[in-house]
Amino acid sequence: MKIAIDEARTGITAGHGGPFGCVIVRDGKVVGRGHNEVIKQNDPTCHGEVTAIRDACKNLGTYDLSGCELYTTAEPCPMCRGAIMWSNIRKVYFGCNIADTDSIGFRDKVFYESPEDISEELDRKECLEVFEEYRAINDKKSY
Ligand SMILES: [Zn+2]
């Protein structure tokens, strides 16, 4: 966690974004690290956890971070929780909680309490055709 805190401090000092740092560890070794770079990259997805996941995947040459643990200075938002699940990380340690994050002006809390209904089904039939093409490609691979 100390390394995650150092990452967060590096990020705010450089003006990269919020005070969010993250480290990913496998077998006791740091395999990825990062901090919030939303402002630096002009990218709302550059949260500390996502930045660290990208770093770990690049360093390990894989999209599968099974067996890794993640340390983050703040409880992951829904986007990062999703990225953590997709990367197969199954243990997360966080420092500050959602209420702490809310108290310094970040809006994660609203995503948990009243997510906006912004999705609507459109052109399902055409999209399903691509799904079928994918299935056909992968069915051939299994032989
Ligand atoms: Zn996040």
Side-chain angles (χ1 to χ4, degrees):
M1 187 60 88
K2 187 186 176 311
I3 299 168
I5 294 168
D6 288 345
E7 277 288 337
R9 195 163 278 130
T10 297
I12 62 168
T13 303
H16 290 172
F20 309 111
C22 183
V23 174
I24 297 172
V25 175
R26 178 185 275 172
D27 300 325
K29 290 182 183 171
V30 172
V31 294
R33 59 192 292 169
H35 56 260
N36 184 296
E37 296 187 11
V38 168
I39 293 170
K40 179 186 177 192
Q41 304 291 348
N42 279 326
D43 182 344
T45 68
C46 282
H47 289 191
E49 295 92 331
V50 170
T51 304
I53 287 169
R54 288 174 180 158
D55 187 50
C57 289
K58 188 175 132 201
N59 292 336
L60 297 173
T62 180
Y63 56 82
D64 183 356
L65 299 178
S66 296
C68 293
E69 296 180 335
L70 185 146
Y71 296 78
T72 178
T73 54
E75 191 169 355
C77 74
M79 175 184 72
C80 290
R81 185 188 299 268
I84 290 163
M85 297 301 288
W86 278 110
S87 67
N88 293 320
I89 294 171
R90 291 295 178 265
K91 186 64 192 177
V92 173
Y93 299 96
F94 64 87
C96 298
N97 60 39
I98 294 161
D100 298 327
T101 304
D102 189 63
S103 76
I104 59 165
F106 289 88
R107 57 195 169 117
D108 302 38
K109 209 173 167 191
V110 71
F111 299 153
Y112 291 96
E113 290 172 354
S114 56
E116 289 177 65
D117 186 10
I118 59 171
S119 299
E120 181 180 335
E121 190 175 296
L122 178 69
D123 293 335
R124 179 169 180 257
K125 185 175 168 284
E126 291 81 356
C127 294
L128 278 172
E129 288 171 12
V130 184
F131 275 33
E132 287 306 319
E133 290 165 26
Y134 173 82
R135 189 195 317 262
I137 290 166
N138 283 284
D139 283 349
K140 282 180 192 165
K141 280 184 186 171
S142 64
Y143 292 108

